[in-house]
Amino acid sequence: MVKEISSIHNPTIKQLVTLQEKAKERRKTGEFLIEGIREVNLAIQAGFELTRIIFCEKIICSEDLKALQVQLNQNVEQIAVTEEVYKKIAYRSGTEGLIACARSKSNSLSDLQLPDNPLILVAEAPEKPGNIGALLRTADAAGVDAFILANPKTDLYNPNIIRSSVGGVFTVNIATGTTQEVIDFLIEHNINRYTAILQEAVSYETQNFTKPTALVVGTEADGLSELWREQTTQNIIIPMQGSLDSMNVSVAAAILVFEARRQRGFN
């Protein structure tokens, strides 16, 4: 059965808008919104549970909608909305007329499953959702075994993270924790910690990343906290050839993780 809603003042629509806009609502309900056919399909493939889909028949391709509906179980509520209602809920323009509501997953460190020789990307306290999204795209491209957020400043299901990661939030193995929790986890699992810090650092390409490795990056403004300096395996630096002393965090992360991948023979 498909429910039809044509008013932006409908209580369900108001609740969906709040879910889109408010991290507090996402935490309270344990749900979040996903926009776009590709992103929704990636979420399904990653095992996220959908609770409802919202679609606008004037926008969505009917074949795409039918292909999605085949994958849904009977408990997923289906809501057809007008173009006006869809635009009220949508976070960005240009999506294909589809929004899904999904249950968030646990991102606890204790739930993280790793292979024997993991390659992990760690980011401490990135504030901009766009940077987190770019880091997730880098993590996906490099095929890292996990992406860990230490001291996250925003929730993972912020709509801008989902948008800027192009669905990478669903394709990457993700965990979060405080900085000390992350450090303790890495030490407990005998994972070497290579921290991107300017002081007392050696050039990154001199290090051996073929053993269990965590590459740790901080914010462009503040770098990494003192806890990392005190409990690192080795501080590393990307030699800069220009006049500036920093680069975008996702670019720095990409340089480091792909060097690790090169050393591992891209296996």
Side-chain angles (χ1 to χ4, degrees):
M1 294 292 293
V2 176
K3 181 179 180 180
E4 296 184 358
I5 297 179
S6 59
S7 172
I8 61 173
H9 302 295
N10 182 282
T12 296
I13 301 307
K14 289 183 177 180
Q15 193 269 335
L16 290 170
V17 171
T18 304
L19 200 59
Q20 186 78 284
E21 296 177 347
K22 304 293 184 181
K24 182 179 179 180
E25 184 71 10
R26 294 192 290 272
R27 287 192 297 269
K28 184 178 78 172
T29 62
E31 294 185 335
F32 66 101
L33 299 188
I34 310 166
E35 286 185 47
I37 294 164
R38 174 178 54 185
E39 288 85 348
V40 171
N41 280 314
L42 286 172
I44 292 172
Q45 292 166 23
F48 280 80
E49 179 188 353
L50 303 190
T51 59
R52 50 172 70 141
I53 62 167
I54 303 94
F55 57 90
C56 177
E57 292 178 311
K58 285 190 175 181
I59 302 174
I60 192 169
C61 169
S62 60
E63 292 182 0
D64 288 334
L65 178 59
K66 289 176 183 177
L68 174 66
Q69 288 172 325
V70 169
Q71 302 179 67
L72 302 177
N73 67 51
Q74 60 183 5
N75 296 322
V76 179
E77 183 181 20
Q78 299 189 41
I79 303 174
V81 299
T82 62
E83 200 166 354
E84 178 189 22
V85 172
Y86 181 82
K87 290 179 178 179
K88 179 69 175 177
I89 306 168
Y91 177 75
R92 68 186 199 263
S93 59
T95 49
E96 305 98 328
L98 176 68
I99 297 170
C101 186
R103 297 195 190 281
S104 55
K105 286 187 176 182
S106 168
N107 298 112
S108 170
L109 286 163
S110 61
D111 294 331
L112 200 57
Q113 300 295 314
L114 296 173
D116 292 336
N117 185 21
L119 174 60
I120 299 170
L121 176 61
V122 179
E124 183 182 46
E127 294 183 358
K128 298 178 181 178
N131 275 344
I132 297 172
L135 284 163
L136 284 165
R137 293 180 71 178
T138 296
D140 176 88
V144 301
D145 297 301
F147 173 66
I148 301 178
L149 274 174
N151 291 350
K153 300 298 184 183
T154 185
D155 71 296
L156 270 174
Y157 303 111
N158 179 301
N160 197 27
I161 292 179
I162 296 173
R163 180 194 65 80
S164 58
S165 75
V166 199
V169 70
F170 307 122
T171 64
V172 177
N173 200 14
I174 306 173
T176 63
T178 67
T179 289
Q180 191 60 63
E181 286 171 345
V182 174
I183 292 171
D184 291 344
F185 174 86
L186 297 173
I187 292 173
E188 179 185 349
H189 289 80
N190 299 311
I191 298 170
N192 294 316
R193 301 158 308 286
Y194 295 95
T195 47
I197 295 176
L198 296 177
Q199 297 80 16
E200 300 175 350
V202 299
S203 185
Y204 73 98
E205 84 280 358
T206 66
Q207 299 303 294
N208 180 1
F209 301 138
T210 61
K211 297 178 180 180
T213 294
L215 298 164
V216 188
V217 295
T219 63
E220 296 156 48
D222 301 320
L224 289 168
S225 64
E226 191 64 30
L227 284 172
W228 288 109
R229 302 171 193 264
E230 295 169 352
Q231 300 177 81
T232 186
T233 300
Q234 177 64 58
N235 292 338
I236 55 174
I237 189 172
I238 299 171
M240 305 288 287
Q241 305 301 304
S243 302
L244 306 179
D245 64 357
S246 69
M247 64 179 72
N248 179 272
V249 63
S250 66
V251 175
I255 291 170
L256 298 177
V257 295
F258 274 97
E259 170 60 17
R261 274 286 171 237
R262 184 194 68 80
Q263 291 185 17
R264 291 169 177 235
F266 291 96
N267 293 320

